[in-house]
Amino acid sequence: MNDVRTAASPATRTRAATVAVLVAIVAVALNQRPAVVAVAPVLRDLRADTGLSAALAGLLTTVPVLCFGAFAPFAPRLARRIGLETAVALSLVLLAAGIALRLFPPVVLLYAGSFVAGAAIAIANVLLPAYVKREFLRPGPVMGLYSASLNVGAAAGAALTVPVATALGLSWRGGLGMWLVLALVALVVWLVVAGTGKEHRTGPGLVAGGSWSLLRQPLARQVTAYLGLQSVQFYAVAAWLPTLLADAGVPVSEGGLLLGLANVVGAGGALLLPALAGRMRTQRPLVLVVLAFYAIGLGGLLLAPGTATVLWVLAFGIAQGSGFALALTLIVLRSPTPLTSARLGGVAQCLGYLLAAAGPFVLGWLHDLTGGWQWPLALLLVLLLPMIWAGWGAARDAVVDPGEPAVPV
């Protein structure tokens, strides 16, 4: 067996094979945000070209997040039927197809491409944390690397879409379409390293059931609520931050760069917090740290968006990067097995992302209604209260009762 494949157990895998697995995880993670985040920097050009309203344009970032929620529960079942590795590879194929659809002129294909890309990312969102839990004896640091890679991908989508498209003479459609290359590279890397995972398949008849029954437990509900409310913050601000800053007098060319900066500094928090979380019996101090940075960032954007803008963006970036990484890590830490992690991730991301999907649309609607960004930002600040409640419960030293047979994913 080729030593870069994952058939070996975590304890016996060579250093080279471990590095190869980490590279594959990073390659997939880098693709899980650009297709969504890259829309925000081109929203003005997109609206000017298509005539879409702010609310309808906001749906272009809402549709993928809705798909994150709608398709998340199917990911564990898909992995059990075709293999976890094959399911991740399929997600990359679908992602490439979704990005390609947005290259064509009819407006409806913008939404169709966003739908397909969102469904693809939903599969990887659920299965990569389960893959990490299965492949590594200490998943905390690897979850940090995974989460940081999500932020780096988001930063690249926000900061590079417009400059690279401009340098290459591409339209806003070409700017969105250029991320197809990254998806195809990740597919090749994943197939070379992970293959199809035949060694881990258990046959089509062994399908885990009762994932939704996990929500009978308060701990599972709190993990779900924390993930959802944290994601509301990220996707709402990611969709509208460049426009918000432009309305505050910040040059349009800097809006996407500042959004990228938020994701870059977020990658630092995403890398650090899961490693810390894995060493702590309770992660409640980390929940408070995330809350503090959110309050600083959102409060500054509300009160003085055109003054000390970089400070507010940096604070929000740290909050969203570390907060989302903590949410994903809590799914892993609160799960006793990889299968439980996939099941809990499926239901948590289903409900959490369905809640988060309302963020960009509601913020766009409130902006259209009030003509400003004060009320949308005030709403995000109020939502920190239930988020801290959910995080406090989700961070306690406990695991959910899996109620499942001990079979591999």
Side-chain angles (χ1 to χ4, degrees), residues 1 13 59 81 123 157 161 171-173 178 193 197 199 201-202 209 213 261 300 306 312 375 380 405 408:
M1 178 65 67
R13 193 166 49 218
L59 278 176
R81 288 188 177 276
I123 296 171
T161 298
S171 66
W172 61 267
R173 286 185 186 276
M178 70 183 187
V193 173
E199 300 85 359
R201 295 184 195 177
T202 57
S213 65
L261 176 63
W312 315 138
W375 281 104
L380 292 180

Side-chain angles (χ1 to χ4, degrees), residues 72-77 80 126-127 129-130 207-215 217 220 224 331 335-350 400-405 407 409:
F74 298 101
R77 184 176 294 270
R80 296 300 303 277
V126 173
L127 298 185
V207 179
S211 293
W212 292 102
S213 65
L214 293 175
L215 292 179
Q217 304 175 51
T224 298
I331 292 174
S335 302
T337 68
L339 177 55
T340 310
S341 178
R343 293 170 60 212
L344 179 58
V347 296
Q349 293 190 45
C350 175
V400 298
D401 179 12
E404 66 192 26
V407 293
V409 177

Side-chain angles (χ1 to χ4, degrees), residues 21 48 79 87 91 96 111 228 250 263 282 307 309 336 368 381 402:
V21 172
S91 77
Y111 292 94
V250 177
N263 286 285
T282 172
T307 305
T309 305
D368 287 345
L381 281 167

Side-chain angles (χ1 to χ4, degrees), residues 119-148:
I121 295 169
I123 296 171
N125 277 344
V126 173
L127 298 185
L128 257 294
Y131 182 79
V132 169
K133 187 170 183 68
R134 191 191 74 189
E135 294 296 318
F136 293 90
L137 298 175
R138 293 179 59 239
V142 184
M143 283 302 298
L145 181 64
Y146 167 69
S147 302

Side-chain angles (χ1 to χ4, degrees), residues 37-45 155-172 174-176 178-179 242 252-257:
V37 177
V39 174
V42 303
L43 269 181
R44 286 197 168 209
D45 290 342
L160 299 181
T161 298
V162 172
V164 173
T166 300
L168 297 177
L170 302 175
S171 66
W172 61 267
L176 295 178
M178 70 183 187
W179 297 104
V252 175
S253 60
E254 296 181 11
L257 292 175

